[in-house]
Amino acid sequence: MDLSKIRNFCIIAHIDHGKSTLADRLIEITHTLEKRDMKHGQILDTMDLEQERGITIKLQPVRMEYEFSLAGKPVEKYILNLIDTPGHVDFSYEVSRSLAAVEGAILIVDATQGIEAQTLSNTYMALNHNLEIVPVLNKIDLPNAEIERRMREIEDALGIPKEEIIPVSAKDGTNIEAVLKRIIERVPPPKAPLTDELKALIFDSVYDSYKGVVAYVRLMSGGVKTGDTLYLLNNGRKVEALEVGYFKPKYKPVDELKDGEIGYIVTGLKEVADARVGDTIWQSRGSKVEIVNAKPLPGYHVVQPYVFASIFCSDGQDYNFLRDALGKLKLNDSSLSYEPEHSSALGSGFRCGFLGLLHLDIVQERLEREYDLDLVVTAPSVSYIIVVHKQGELLISSPSAYPDPATVDAVKEPYVFLEILVPKEYVGAVMDLCQKKRGVNTDIQYLDQSRVILKFDMPLASIVIDFYDNLKSITSGYGSMNYEFTGYKESDLVKLDMLIAGKIVDAFSAIVHRSEAQYVGRDMSKKLKKLIPRANFEIVIQAAIGGKIIARESISPFRKDVTAKLYGGDRTRKDKLLKKQKAGKKRMKMVGNVNIPQDAFLAVLKKD
Ligand SMILES: Nc1nc2c(ncn2[C@@H]2O[C@H](COP(=O)(O)OP(=O)(O)O)[C@@H](O)[C@H]2O)c(=O)[nH]1
Ligand SMILES: [Mg+2]
């Protein structure tokens, strides 16, 4: 294949600015799919969940062909490989992996919204990868589109000359052809390879129930044919290419994929973890290089989950179903982690790790819908590093793993670089919110005359619950944010225990900042007081840090017998009431001599 006829690019933008819709138009105009095959909008959002929620979760490649006459040359056929990406911060790993597989990026900005937090972070990422950026201003059909103003904004904030920005409407198709032409003109073709070896970068790896593990690859050098014997350089495995092909956007088998192209290889492997993203698929080809000397491509850093929650089945459902369902989800989602956990209150379940709150939400929804499970999911928290006296560091993802406080020298928590974009009149409110959440402001920049970029050094724990909703509400919906994990930092954190009738109830333990412990302890005590039924003795509820009580509530005993009111003869009524009480008891947990209803656990622990 003539490399000069190939263009590889991705589409990046803040969420909802129109990436998937623009991809639809490009697919149409190049006749990659016919109109009748485009049953719905955002055709590259292939999962049901993506369609229903109108968001892109996974990257999705598609190959298009387009005839064009470049700079007065005769009309020639170009191969265009596009990768659509998700806009939400939880899935920025999908974006960074896509960027490493291409030479250019269409950067979309919504003409009604302007630059938002992910616009900035995505642009920086694309520039870091030395990609040619094709700027597009979308939604110009809307009456509130501010074309002039937004173009100036892009010029000022991103340094992209106004004349280069292509105004389009992805919805009604205005100016789409101009985008295609610009890509062919500006995005460089793949570089000529420096070696004869086959080197293919795995930028995604998915599990298909018919094909097994399919590696999505960018061929950096060399080609690959069906039936070839190949090697994975990082894990040393030998695989056979059972099928190779490209994306239309469905799998389209071909005999051979060539140098510079984007396509897929069916590997015969059973788990996506075996064809890990970032690994290099290799073959010596015409070169004399032997596998021991072969150099893998740079690949990707491995992402770690930082947000954790426990998942349990609700009453009467089988734990084994949940285990199998998680196993199947994990086949296609290598960033999901889980390990078994037992809670005295909620039974057997799993402690699961996620990339963020939306990821957690989506996993929960997929488990419930695709596997028909009814789940209890606990409120999310983060992981901590505990420095244990004379023993070193311990990474824990659940407060129940917190060691004896007497042995703890220090506790570290995950921090993020948080970037918030707001109209300037909201700066004060955002500063207040972030300071309350232990954030430290590190920078303030004006994006233009009316909008400001605020940067913070922020504990991740402060933004995992409610933060985004708070930000939206204090900024009348105008604030947008992006964050990036920066590392673990020592903080004054303590383990807060809840005691009921003198006994610690594990499920209620939490790791909190010392300055917040009193407030959280009081709040929990009050909540539990409302939720735990009276007994014929006083029930004391306490919050404690390492044995020191910091909050206390008590539930006074009742004196009356419940059945006392039911005077005399009516035996059946009395029986009914006793039966009802018994049924109620089933969903109680005994803690010492106190019955705690399951509902109390749920009310305190449950997410939402
Ligand atoms: N009016 C109008 N709406 C658009 C245009 N492009 C996209 N949209 C709408 O904006 C929303 C988000 O689009 P989508 O392509 O899913 O955005 P993505 O998150 O960047 O992929 C959808 O409701 C689209 O129908 C456009 O040019 N004009
Ligand atoms: Mg999308």
Side-chain angles (χ1 to χ4, degrees), residues 513-529:
H513 194 258
R514 194 181 297 276
S515 65
E516 293 162 354
Q518 183 90 44
Y519 167 79
V520 177
R522 258 196 225 134
D523 191 53
M524 288 272 269
S525 309
K526 287 218 176 76
K527 262 194 202 147
L528 288 171
K529 179 178 174 166

Side-chain angles (χ1 to χ4, degrees), residues 272-424:
V272 283
D274 294 332
R276 185 165 255 136
V277 292
D279 205 343
T280 303
I281 292 181
W282 180 88
Q283 239 280 8
S284 64
R285 286 284 176 266
S287 75
K288 298 235 153 48
V289 181
E290 298 199 14
I291 187 163
V292 286
N293 300 320
K295 275 212 186 64
L297 299 162
Y300 309 110
H301 69 280
V302 178
V303 287
Q304 300 288 352
Y306 309 108
V307 173
F308 291 83
S310 301
I311 300 185
F312 300 93
C313 289
S314 58
D315 266 358
Q317 268 186 325
D318 195 343
Y319 160 85
N320 292 314
F321 282 144
L322 176 57
R323 191 193 51 219
D324 292 349
L326 277 167
K328 283 189 194 135
L329 265 196
K330 168 96 186 160
L331 280 178
N332 244 334
D333 183 352
S334 53
S335 44
L336 169 69
S337 76
Y338 63 97
E339 52 186 57
E341 179 185 57
H342 188 83
S343 150
S344 54
L346 302 171
S348 291
F350 293 91
R351 187 72 178 166
C352 305
F354 307 92
L355 298 175
L357 294 185
L358 179 63
H359 188 208
L360 160 59
D361 224 40
I362 281 163
V363 168
Q364 177 178 359
E365 193 169 329
R366 291 189 65 185
L367 287 171
E368 293 188 330
R369 289 162 48 138
E370 293 167 30
Y371 301 93
D372 205 18
L373 291 162
D374 185 25
L375 303 174
V376 172
V377 179
T378 63
S381 64
V382 301
S383 49
Y384 296 93
I385 290 177
I386 316 287
V387 185
V388 183
H389 192 60
K390 291 191 178 147
Q391 283 176 36
E393 298 191 333
L394 179 71
L395 180 69
I396 65 166
S397 59
S398 163
S400 60
Y402 197 93
D404 174 5
T407 66
V408 173
D409 281 348
V411 184
K412 297 177 185 174
E413 64 178 323
Y415 262 73
V416 295
F417 162 67
L418 171 70
E419 200 168 28
I420 295 178
L421 222 114
V422 278
K424 63 180 176 201

Side-chain angles (χ1 to χ4, degrees), residues 19-20 42 45 55-56 84-85:
K19 295 175 288 297
S20 303
Q42 289 97 19
D45 289 344
I55 53 169
T56 308
D84 186 24
T85 65

Side-chain angles (χ1 to χ4, degrees), residues 14-21 42 44-45 50 54-58 84-87:
H14 192 79
I15 194 159
D16 273 352
H17 282 201
K19 295 175 288 297
S20 303
T21 307
Q42 289 97 19
L44 296 185
D45 289 344
E50 293 183 307
I55 53 169
T56 308
I57 298 164
K58 280 210 68 67
D84 186 24
T85 65

Side-chain angles (χ1 to χ4, degrees), residues 542-555:
Q542 294 160 308
I545 300 172
K548 187 171 160 262
I549 307 297
I550 57 162
R552 182 186 194 277
E553 292 283 343
S554 73
I555 303 173

